[in-house]
Amino acid sequence: MSTPPETLSFPPLSAFGGFREAAQACLSMLRERTGVGAWYFTRVQGEDWLVLAASDDCFGVRSGDALKWADSICSRMVRGGPCVVPDVSAHAPYAAAPIASRGIAAYLGVPVHLDHGAIGTLCGIDPQPVSVDVERWLPIVQLCAQMLATLWCHDVDLKETRRRAERAELEAMTDPMTGIFNRRGWRELLALEEQRCRDEHTTAGVVVVDLDRLKQTNDSQGHAAGDELIQRAATEITRAVRAVDVVARLGGDEFVVLILDVGPTELARQAARIEQALRSAGVAATLGYSWRGPERDLGEAYREADLLMLDAKRGRHRLS
């Protein structure tokens, strides 16, 4: 360690351009000064553990990755385990964490409180045991965690304000029957959110919903009944997701949902909630969903979700 923690000073929050800049500066500083080779600032969402920022030359984890929270050492720390373990192999509860099998030999981490009651962590890991005196860095790690949490929450508020402004500008791009976004609005918002995911290393997922019985309803009960079915579907899908998520009707019986800031496990749960809401309202539908991660953009996720929906629909037809 080239500089003892007692000699460090921190610039005011206003010196940073935002969360992304501050996170990379803090994580790089901690990696260089502590001797712990990989540092992450994370957020927990259900069963997913989302990496909001990373400085890692050891394990290949990147900003935007999603891991399993239950597999992590951090989940054990948050439940009351030690914040500093210089040799993970000597601490049985941490050594038993599935993620430790990736070669984690040292750990230092603290919990953080984020937006809307969410929890996260600022943590460092290393493939080799580290000196016991690394515990001297714990107050600095806690200070960095508080600063980054403050900036993260501020950035979340800014993003929500920008999204409201973006969507207000796109009010003309709505489906007149349902009041949700139409195909053009969907394309515009998909592009905006993809750029945001690229710039901020955030995650998202796409759910495609296709109504199963619209044609039969139109043929047997008339188009007024078909229109009511479409409106009911739009209402139930919108109720099943958060206000920040995007719901659009692409035409006919096809709907699509953009779920923001979500990991793969929670995306699957969200799709199941949408399906259950439709079923409870008497709307038969087939769904497909796909997660946008570091290896796949939102356009690719949308196309995969659509293909999965079509495969599921064909499978139902073969069984009927």
Side-chain angles (χ1 to χ4, degrees):
M1 291 174 282
S2 59
T3 304
E6 294 83 359
T7 66
L8 290 179
S9 61
F10 284 86
L13 291 181
S14 58
F16 295 106
F19 167 77
R20 188 63 45 199
E21 178 185 338
Q24 290 307 132
C26 282
L27 298 185
S28 296
M29 179 275 293
L30 289 170
R31 185 165 58 84
E32 293 169 5
R33 301 297 190 182
T34 64
V36 177
W39 284 86
Y40 316 103
F41 189 76
T42 74
R43 181 176 188 266
V44 181
Q45 185 178 58
E47 296 180 15
D48 292 316
W49 190 31
L50 307 180
V51 180
L52 304 180
S55 180
D56 177 359
D57 285 337
C58 304
F59 298 95
V61 176
R62 299 168 294 172
S63 301
D65 281 350
L67 307 170
K68 290 186 177 180
W69 173 239
D71 289 351
S72 69
I73 293 175
C74 283
S75 67
R76 290 148 176 81
M77 178 273 294
V78 166
R79 294 197 301 268
C83 290
V84 184
V85 179
D87 185 354
V88 167
S89 66
H91 186 72
Y94 285 10
I99 203 169
S101 66
R102 298 190 179 192
I104 297 172
Y107 173 84
L108 196 164
V110 297
V112 296
H113 298 282
L114 297 169
D115 55 303
H116 308 300
I119 63 167
T121 65
L122 173 58
C123 63
I125 55 176
D126 198 272
Q128 299 295 328
V130 296
S131 171
V132 173
D133 74 354
V134 76
E135 190 162 357
R136 293 190 306 150
W137 282 88
L138 188 58
I140 298 298
V141 174
Q142 291 169 329
L143 179 62
C144 288
Q146 292 170 3
M147 180 184 72
L148 293 181
T150 299
L151 286 171
W152 169 259
C153 294
H154 178 65
D155 274 16
V156 168
D157 289 341
L158 281 178
K159 282 195 290 185
E160 290 180 355
T161 300
R162 288 169 184 157
R163 282 183 175 127
R164 285 194 293 270
E166 289 165 358
R167 295 179 192 185
E169 290 180 2
L170 296 175
E171 278 186 355
M173 300 181 189
T174 56
D175 173 49
M177 183 183 297
T178 61
I180 61 177
F181 287 105
N182 60 18
R183 183 179 292 272
R184 184 182 172 198
W186 164 254
R187 288 174 175 168
E188 293 280 350
L189 288 169
L190 194 72
L192 287 168
E193 292 299 341
E194 170 58 26
Q195 190 59 53
R196 192 167 278 128
C197 285
R198 288 175 181 270
D199 292 344
E200 302 172 10
H201 303 290
T202 52
T203 60
V206 178
V207 182
V208 173
V209 181
D210 194 80
L211 306 187
D212 289 340
R213 297 173 186 162
L214 180 61
K215 185 177 186 304
Q216 295 93 318
T217 300
N218 284 332
D219 292 345
S220 62
Q221 302 177 45
H223 285 277
D227 290 350
E228 192 277 329
L229 180 65
I230 291 170
Q231 292 165 344
R232 196 182 339 147
T235 298
E236 295 303 324
I237 295 170
T238 302
R239 286 176 177 170
V241 300
R242 302 162 301 173
V244 71
D245 299 325
V246 178
V247 182
R249 179 184 175 218
L250 303 188
D253 53 7
E254 185 177 3
F255 294 82
V256 66
V257 188
L258 177 59
I259 309 291
L260 299 171
D261 301 315
V262 69
T265 305
E266 286 305 302
L267 174 63
R269 288 189 171 185
Q270 185 65 68
R273 282 194 288 269
I274 293 170
E275 188 171 29
Q276 180 58 49
L278 291 169
R279 187 183 301 115
S280 298
V283 179
T286 303
L287 280 70
Y289 59 89
S290 181
W291 184 62
R292 186 257 188 238
E295 305 296 338
R296 177 186 299 143
D297 66 25
L298 278 176
E300 292 168 326
Y302 165 55
R303 288 188 288 275
E304 182 175 65
D306 193 47
L307 288 173
L308 290 170
M309 180 277 295
L310 290 171
D311 286 345
K313 190 174 280 285
R314 292 189 193 104
R316 289 184 181 179
H317 286 324
R318 285 195 295 268
L319 293 173
S320 60

